[in-house]
Amino acid sequence: MQRFQFKLCDVHVDLIRTVAIMSVVLLHAVGRWPITSQELGQLNASGMVSWVILLIYQCFATFGVPLFLMLTGLLLLQPEKNESLRVFFKKRFTRICLPLLFWTIIYFIWDFFVIKFPFSMSTILQGVLNGAYTQFWYIYMLLGLYLLTPLLRVIIAHASQTLIKYFLALWFISVSILPFLSLLSPFLPNKNIFVITGYVGYFVLGIYLSSVQIRRRTALFFMFLGTTLTALGTYVLAASNDVGGMYFFQEYLSPTVICASVMAFLLLLTIKPSAPSPTQEVKPSIINKFLKLVSKNTLGIYFVHVIVIESIQSGLLGFTLNRATLNPILEIPLLMIITLIVSLCIILLLNKVPKLKNFVT
């Protein structure tokens, strides 16, 4: 078991969670701007600059979900983890299902009474089964990974490094390489040959990467390389009038996003907390306190931040902040920061309501 002896400290967990939730908020603050090659060619200089700015922000925001998944895999797939199925599912599903129920109700209220979406029982049924709002897909996917976790723990505990690499290679070919090749040629092997699909690879990558040593400079270089290729690939697809697939390179399972996300994860793992002297009293810095506060409330922020973004963009909070009011190079990071702070404050206030804390985060 020596291969997974990486010492994951609270600083790593707090830092990765904070970077991940900031990336998710950034992604939803940017939104998406579908554009045809004809429309791209008709943009004036200002419009082109705005589109490129949005594209760059989008590409740097793709780290969020992969970082969450890899961190969760690193925390849950440790070989020494030994829980019964009953204990595991009680802990995990209680943590997820109660907030899921609470926020599903909140978003139904938001949809029907604020957004004025037409009320129907089919909308409610679809919302319960598939997610009440855009960001809920991740929670349902996470529940699916929880179902696999007891099996993956056994595999990881007994598999050699070679077998784990083999698993990850099959996953990468299935979810990333074959879809990429489909952009270049209609001649592909039958997709049923590769049956390891979905986001399970990110889950396993989290524990596997804990045994990988890499220089910080190298991780930083390949992270920026993956992000740059993501932006260039998106531009090429947009210019080629492939509107349906123009965001292929920004999908979480594209080769460029997987590369950039893996390197971002490794980069964050290289950050070492300063070791105090034996006589020194450890006092967390303001930054560490902020990271821990955000990290502790990540789930609640994840649920509520879309309501905050839509409220700010539509002026429901008393001011309006969108691309029509401010240049996107300033509007997007400002919207992200305000959204993060407001979301955190909402969760902290809700947590103070008696008996509500377990339903909020």
Side-chain angles (χ1 to χ4, degrees), residues 10-317:
D10 290 343
V11 172
H12 292 122
V13 175
D14 295 340
L15 180 61
I16 293 172
R17 279 183 182 155
T18 301
V19 172
I21 194 61
M22 289 178 68
S23 298
V24 170
V25 174
L26 176 62
L27 184 63
H28 291 145
V30 175
R32 281 188 167 177
W33 184 357
I35 191 169
T36 65
S37 59
Q38 183 179 3
E39 291 170 334
L40 191 63
Q42 292 174 350
L43 288 177
N44 57 26
S46 175
M48 179 59 75
V49 169
S50 294
W51 186 78
V52 171
I53 291 170
L54 295 176
L55 176 60
I56 292 172
Y57 280 133
Q58 283 172 342
C59 293
F60 274 101
T62 56
F63 299 157
V65 166
L67 286 178
F68 273 134
L69 289 175
M70 287 185 283
L71 177 61
T72 304
L74 176 52
L75 292 172
L76 293 185
L77 297 182
Q78 293 289 338
E80 65 271 14
K81 294 281 187 179
N82 186 18
E83 298 171 310
S84 68
L85 290 177
R86 181 178 179 277
V87 171
F88 173 80
F89 286 124
K90 182 179 180 181
K91 289 169 61 176
R92 304 303 160 194
F93 283 90
T94 299
R95 169 163 166 72
I96 292 295
C97 289
L98 292 180
L100 177 60
L101 173 63
F102 174 80
W103 289 108
T104 295
I105 295 171
I106 293 297
Y107 272 92
F108 281 148
I109 295 172
W110 176 259
D111 247 350
F112 298 138
F113 296 100
V114 181
I115 303 299
K116 304 297 184 182
F117 193 84
F119 176 86
S120 70
M121 290 306 298
S122 63
T123 299
I124 293 178
L125 182 59
Q126 285 296 332
V128 171
L129 294 176
N130 297 294
Y133 228 66
T134 179
Q135 77 275 32
F136 279 60
W137 74 270
Y138 170 77
I139 305 300
Y140 284 77
M141 180 265 293
L142 190 60
L143 290 173
L145 289 174
Y146 283 168
L147 292 175
L148 286 177
T149 296
L151 299 175
L152 291 174
R153 280 180 174 176
V154 176
I155 294 172
I156 295 299
H158 296 91
S160 65
Q161 288 284 75
T162 301
L163 278 178
I164 295 176
K165 290 178 183 177
Y166 174 69
F167 174 90
L168 291 172
L170 288 179
W171 170 76
F172 185 64
I173 293 171
S174 175
V175 303
S176 192
I177 298 301
L178 289 183
F180 171 69
L181 292 178
S182 69
L183 296 175
L184 308 176
S185 171
F187 303 103
L188 295 170
N190 191 300
K191 62 181 181 181
N192 292 319
I193 296 175
F194 300 94
V195 296
I196 302 175
T197 59
Y199 292 88
V200 66
Y202 275 125
F203 215 55
V204 176
L205 268 172
I207 186 65
Y208 171 74
L209 293 175
S210 67
S211 64
V212 173
Q213 298 292 325
I214 190 171
R215 288 185 175 183
R216 188 176 302 177
R217 189 177 304 173
T218 303
L220 188 62
F221 171 79
F222 282 104
M223 184 188 76
F224 275 102
L225 177 62
T227 304
T228 301
L229 293 176
T230 299
L232 290 175
T234 303
Y235 177 83
V236 169
L237 291 179
S240 67
N241 205 22
D242 186 4
V243 179
M246 68 175 288
Y247 289 109
F248 168 82
F249 286 99
Q250 291 185 30
E251 299 296 332
Y252 296 126
L253 298 176
S254 79
T256 54
V257 170
I258 290 176
C259 171
S261 300
V262 165
M263 292 301 157
F265 188 74
L266 288 171
L267 180 65
L268 293 172
L269 289 182
T270 64
I271 297 176
K272 307 293 184 184
S274 56
S277 64
T279 59
Q280 182 182 1
E281 184 179 353
V282 180
K283 292 184 178 180
S285 65
I286 295 177
I287 294 178
N288 285 347
K289 289 180 180 179
F290 175 75
L291 292 177
K292 186 169 289 294
L293 187 63
V294 173
S295 174
K296 185 178 178 181
N297 295 282
T298 297
L299 184 60
I301 295 172
Y302 183 87
F303 275 118
V304 77
H305 78 276
V306 175
I307 285 179
V308 176
I309 288 176
E310 293 182 357
S311 299
I312 294 173
Q313 290 179 329
S314 60
L316 292 178
L317 296 184

Side-chain angles (χ1 to χ4, degrees), residues 311-354:
S311 299
I312 294 173
Q313 290 179 329
S314 60
L316 292 178
L317 296 184
F319 65 96
T320 303
L321 182 60
N322 52 41
R323 291 171 206 157
T325 60
L326 192 64
N327 187 293
I329 197 170
L330 297 175
E331 179 261 335
I332 292 170
L334 186 59
L335 179 58
M336 180 201 70
I337 294 170
I338 294 174
T339 299
L340 183 67
I341 294 173
V342 172
S343 298
L344 178 60
C345 291
I346 291 173
I347 299 305
L348 293 177
L349 288 174
L350 289 176
N351 281 336
K352 292 184 178 298
V353 178

